[in-house]
Amino acid sequence: MIVTRELQELRQHRAAWSGTVGCVPTMGALHRGHQALMQAARSQCDRVVVTIFVNPTQFAPGEDFAAYPRTEEDDLRLCRESGVDLVWLPEVGQLYPPGSQTVVDVGRLGQQWEGASRPGHFQGVATVVTKLFLAVQPTHAYFGRKDRQQLEVIRVLVRDLLFPVEVVAVPTVREPGGLALSSRNRYLDSEQREQASRIYEALTEVDRLFAQGQRQVAALEQRFRAVLERIPGALVERFDVLAPDWSRAYAADEAPSRATVCVAVRWAGVRLLDEWELEEGASCY
Ligand code: AMP
């Protein structure tokens, strides 16, 4: 496995490769969720590149950029075990040369829902992923459904900027209790993690209600919040029910037959994201 921090070295290796190249962009602190992305890339592509970069522009002031877990040795071990060909760990100055001014903004999608809670976040994501794509030149790129709106932002980015990249969505990998794996779960102790699995429980409750025919958004949200109330101190920051084409969120009195639910819950100082697909007659519960 090639490990490099240098853009030039990455480019030299890339230029020597023919065939398909799968890219897995990450911020490190890798876990089984990231591994699922690497495995998908490994099974579909001739070469697999993992990038590890804690991207400062997608953190707002006051967020956890400085504290974000950095576990390089373990990360490289997981990449090696997963059959990765090359890991690129650029320094900040390499992706943002001094004086950098250019940004990439996907417009309205980046400002709504999760984007409204984290102004500037998706611009930071779109900008860094554009740079990663230009450097790695992948034919395929792998993203998790856990960060559901991010996946949609990437799809729009690829469409709008004509990137010759196939975006592959990978299902959310969960802990045995249902909590979606996340690098930020490291901030929680084992008891807090167990409590946080209520987020999954709440989503399965919403799914059950939906499957029983109660499809009204207000009722679904009420059920979600009722389950989360069992974690004292947990705050439901977002419960968005999105149209399948992401053109809009459904209003409280609407009763869609298909939708994507995106939630954000703040618990023990950590902002936890999760997602769920609701589809009439297709309960995954
Ligand atoms: P991050 O390192 O958190 O920026 O995540 C890198 C990629 O891994 C993103 O595409 C995430 O959506 C994906 N990812 C993170 N957690 C999970 C998970 N539990 N299941 C599947 N994909 C995930």
Side-chain angles (χ1 to χ4, degrees):
M1 186 174 81
I2 302 155
V3 178
T4 182
R5 297 186 196 279
E6 301 305 321
L7 174 60
Q8 262 331 94
E9 201 181 329
L10 165 75
R11 286 199 163 133
Q12 276 163 13
H13 288 291
R14 176 65 185 94
W17 291 343
S18 56
T20 51
V21 176
C23 180
V24 181
T26 81
M27 297 208 299
L30 302 183
H31 49 66
R32 285 188 297 108
H34 298 108
Q35 198 175 23
L37 272 60
M38 297 182 215
Q39 285 166 346
R42 183 67 286 161
S43 69
Q44 293 173 3
C45 297
D46 298 320
R47 305 282 180 168
V48 178
V49 175
V50 170
T51 65
I52 299 179
F53 180 65
V54 185
N55 174 36
T57 66
Q58 69 188 72
F59 291 79
E63 289 188 349
D64 57 344
F65 173 68
Y68 197 83
R70 286 155 170 92
T71 59
E72 201 175 298
E73 241 176 71
D74 290 346
D75 292 352
L76 291 177
R77 192 174 315 123
L78 195 69
C79 291
R80 216 168 266 123
E81 284 169 15
S82 308
V84 169
D85 294 289
L86 188 151
V87 182
W88 185 34
L89 310 105
E91 303 288 354
V92 174
Q94 195 128 76
L95 278 183
Y96 296 97
S100 286
Q101 298 177 44
T102 308
V103 294
V104 179
D105 195 307
V106 297
R108 227 161 53 93
L109 174 64
Q111 286 141 27
Q112 291 172 303
W113 310 306
E114 179 68 3
S117 291
R118 300 186 70 187
H121 171 68
F122 287 121
Q123 186 185 85
V125 169
T127 301
V128 80
V129 170
T130 298
K131 289 167 186 263
L132 295 174
F133 282 2
L134 289 170
V136 176
Q137 297 186 30
T139 56
H140 297 66
Y142 295 79
F143 292 88
R145 298 183 74 90
K146 180 184 81 73
D147 302 285
R148 191 60 187 79
Q149 190 168 346
Q150 171 173 281
L151 169 63
E152 223 50 40
V153 164
I154 303 301
R155 284 178 170 152
V156 168
L157 174 75
V158 164
R159 181 197 67 194
D160 292 358
L161 295 188
L162 318 180
F163 277 114
V165 175
E166 184 179 324
V167 176
V168 181
V170 177
T172 301
V173 179
R174 300 175 179 281
E175 288 188 357
L179 175 65
L181 291 179
S182 163
S183 304
R184 290 189 169 98
N185 291 358
R186 290 168 191 257
Y187 298 144
L188 303 173
D189 63 29
S190 58
E191 198 179 317
Q192 288 167 332
R193 279 189 204 199
E194 202 178 304
Q195 294 263 57
S197 61
R198 293 253 193 236
I199 299 169
Y200 174 74
E201 190 187 322
L203 286 168
T204 59
E205 283 283 320
V206 166
D207 190 63
R208 197 209 305 259
L209 196 63
F210 188 86
Q212 287 166 352
Q214 175 51 281
R215 295 185 280 107
Q216 197 198 46
V217 168
L220 299 173
E221 178 164 359
Q222 196 181 30
R223 177 63 64 93
F224 184 81
R225 287 181 181 276
V227 177
L228 261 295
E229 269 170 22
R230 292 180 218 151
I231 319 180
L235 182 69
V236 178
E237 288 193 351
R238 301 214 65 85
F239 183 90
D240 297 313
V241 181
L242 285 314
D245 65 357
W246 282 74
S247 57
R248 68 190 187 96
Y250 291 111
D253 60 350
E254 287 185 275
S257 55
R258 219 184 123 202
T260 300
V261 178
C262 294
V263 301
V265 176
R266 191 172 289 279
W267 159 237
V270 186
R271 197 156 182 282
L272 299 165
L273 303 186
D274 211 332
E275 52 79 38
W276 201 268
E277 293 296 322
L278 294 174
E279 195 170 348
E280 226 174 11
S283 167
C284 27
Y285 177 69

